[in-house]
């Protein structure tokens, strides 16, 4: 079988927007440095496969994430991509200035729901991080850019263990108040289970944050990424972050492995009759091609199934 048998499932939306993070979240965690021409080809192939929202790179300090030190060059190489939603991650004002100079049209900022991860990953407290995102949001909005917000450690933290849901709600509200148009709820270490997902969405709804403003970003460390993503979709979240071929994890959280593979998500959604606009065979070919560039097989189950014999 090259495609799932389609049996619509009641309660699912007609369409889901897949937010592709492979070029940034995937490649930043690769041990090898991928040439900028390969990255540009990767993005173009994703576009050809129907991905309409792509996080292309990060303007983080080149010394901190050398894999993405070519962010400016990549954007120059890509040129304008009309009709597409392309996003670049910016950690601070300096990153934003570089992104603006390179012609970015949407940026993403990030904070942690937990104090420990903020200190260990961002090197500052949550309050300090929010002051930085405030400045970035203000300047980006002034320049006419949309801003996406990430909240990491929404469902568990390697240092603190469980994360109080109220803490996550506060972080989401803070980023929305700063002008973010969409907030992506990150399970950075991949420990979430579906009950937690529903609880968080309920708590957010109770304070006036509709699921339509949210995206979800699950990691597959414990094999829960797809279940959690589909549960979020059933509860009104129409944007799901995923990484082509299951590339990447998080270089700052030792136990974090594997973003949700875009192909695995697309197989499940198409099987339920949900439209994604994505050409699955073309996407699988792209991930197979990239795996060959990286010299190792794709961790995506769907990529492996569709490329074996
Ligand atoms: Mg990720």
């Amino acid at each position: 079988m090259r495609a799932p048998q389609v049996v619509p499932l009641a309660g699912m939306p007609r369409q889901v927007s897949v937010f592709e993070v492979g070029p940034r979240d995937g490649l930043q965690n690769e041990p090898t440095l991928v040439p900028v021409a390969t990255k540009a080809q990767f993005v173009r192939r994703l576009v050809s496969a129907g991905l309409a929202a792509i996080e292309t790179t990060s303007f983080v300090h080149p010394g901190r994430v050398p894999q993405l030190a070519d962010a400016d060059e990549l954007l120059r190489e890509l040129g304008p991509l009309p009709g597409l939603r392309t996003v670049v991650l910016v950690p601070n004002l300096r990153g934003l200035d570089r992104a603006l100079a390179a012609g970015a049209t949407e940026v993403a900022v990030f904070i942690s729901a937990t104090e420990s991860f903020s200190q260990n990953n961002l090197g500052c407290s949550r309050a300090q991080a929010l002051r930085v995102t405030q400045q970035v949001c203000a300047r980006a909005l002034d320049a006419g850019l949309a801003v996406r917000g990430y909240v990491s450690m929404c469902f568990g933290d390697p240092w603190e263990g469980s994360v109080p849901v109220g803490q996550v709600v506060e972080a989401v509200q803070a980023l929305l108040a700063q002008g973010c148009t969409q907030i992506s709820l990150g399970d950075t270490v991949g420990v979430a289970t579906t009950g937690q997902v529903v609880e968080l969405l309920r708590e957010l709804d109770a304070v006036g944050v509709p699921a339509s403003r949210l995206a979800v970003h699950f990691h597959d460390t414990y094999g829960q990424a797809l279940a959690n993503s589909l549960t979020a979709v059933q509860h009104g979240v129409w944007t799901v972050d995923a990484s082509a071929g299951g590339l990447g994890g998080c270089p700052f959280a030792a136990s974090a492995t594997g973003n949700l593979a875009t192909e695995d998500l697309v197989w499940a959604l198409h099987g339920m009759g949900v439209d994604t606009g994505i050409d699955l065979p073309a996407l699988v070919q792209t991930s197979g091609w990239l795996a060959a560039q990286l010299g190792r097989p794709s961790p995506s189950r769907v990529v492996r199934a569709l490329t074996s014999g």
Side-chain angles (χ1 to χ4, degrees), residues 21 24-26 187-188 217-219 247-250 258-260:
V21 299
R24 195 280 300 173
D25 195 2
D187 180 19
T188 317
H217 186 117
F218 288 109
H219 283 189
L247 285 171
C250 171
N259 284 297
L260 170 63

Side-chain angles (χ1 to χ4, degrees), residues 142-155:
D142 250 9
L145 271 62
V147 185
R148 178 178 223 242
Y150 282 103
V151 179
S152 54
M153 298 298 169
C154 290
F155 302 97

Side-chain angles (χ1 to χ4, degrees), residues 9 23 61 84 111 120-121 137 143 193 205 215 242 264 279 283 294:
L9 182 65
H61 192 282
L84 289 176
I111 58 169
N120 284 288
N121 181 27
C137 285
T193 53
D205 190 62
D264 299 11
D279 175 345
L283 180 60
L294 298 173

Side-chain angles (χ1 to χ4, degrees), residues 35-60:
V36 69
T38 307
K39 290 178 181 174
Q41 202 181 342
F42 181 35
V43 173
R44 287 198 194 97
R45 288 183 70 139
L46 291 170
V47 173
S48 304
L51 273 308
I54 305 176
E55 192 165 84
T56 52
T57 187
S58 168
F59 285 85
V60 69

Side-chain angles (χ1 to χ4, degrees), residues 86-179:
T86 53
V87 181
V88 296
L89 198 67
V90 294
N92 49 35
L93 282 177
R94 182 163 160 62
L96 175 63
D97 286 340
R98 284 176 58 205
L100 286 170
T105 50
E106 180 170 348
V107 294
V109 297
F110 50 94
I111 58 169
S112 169
T114 66
E115 195 60 31
S116 304
F117 190 70
S118 191
Q119 297 283 358
N120 284 288
N121 181 27
L122 307 178
C124 64
S125 70
R126 280 179 298 166
Q128 287 166 326
L130 273 174
R131 281 197 287 278
V132 173
T133 56
Q134 171 77 65
Q135 295 169 336
V136 171
C137 285
R139 194 182 289 178
L141 294 170
D142 250 9
L145 271 62
V147 185
R148 178 178 223 242
Y150 282 103
V151 179
S152 54
M153 298 298 169
C154 290
F155 302 97
D157 177 285
W159 296 277
E160 298 182 17
S162 53
V163 178
V165 71
Q167 229 167 271
V168 183
V169 171
E170 272 173 33
V172 170
Q173 287 179 302
L175 286 181
L176 285 173
Q178 292 180 357

Side-chain angles (χ1 to χ4, degrees), residues 220-231:
D220 209 31
T221 321
Y222 289 82
Q224 307 299 305
L226 183 57
N228 289 332
S229 299
L230 296 180
T231 299

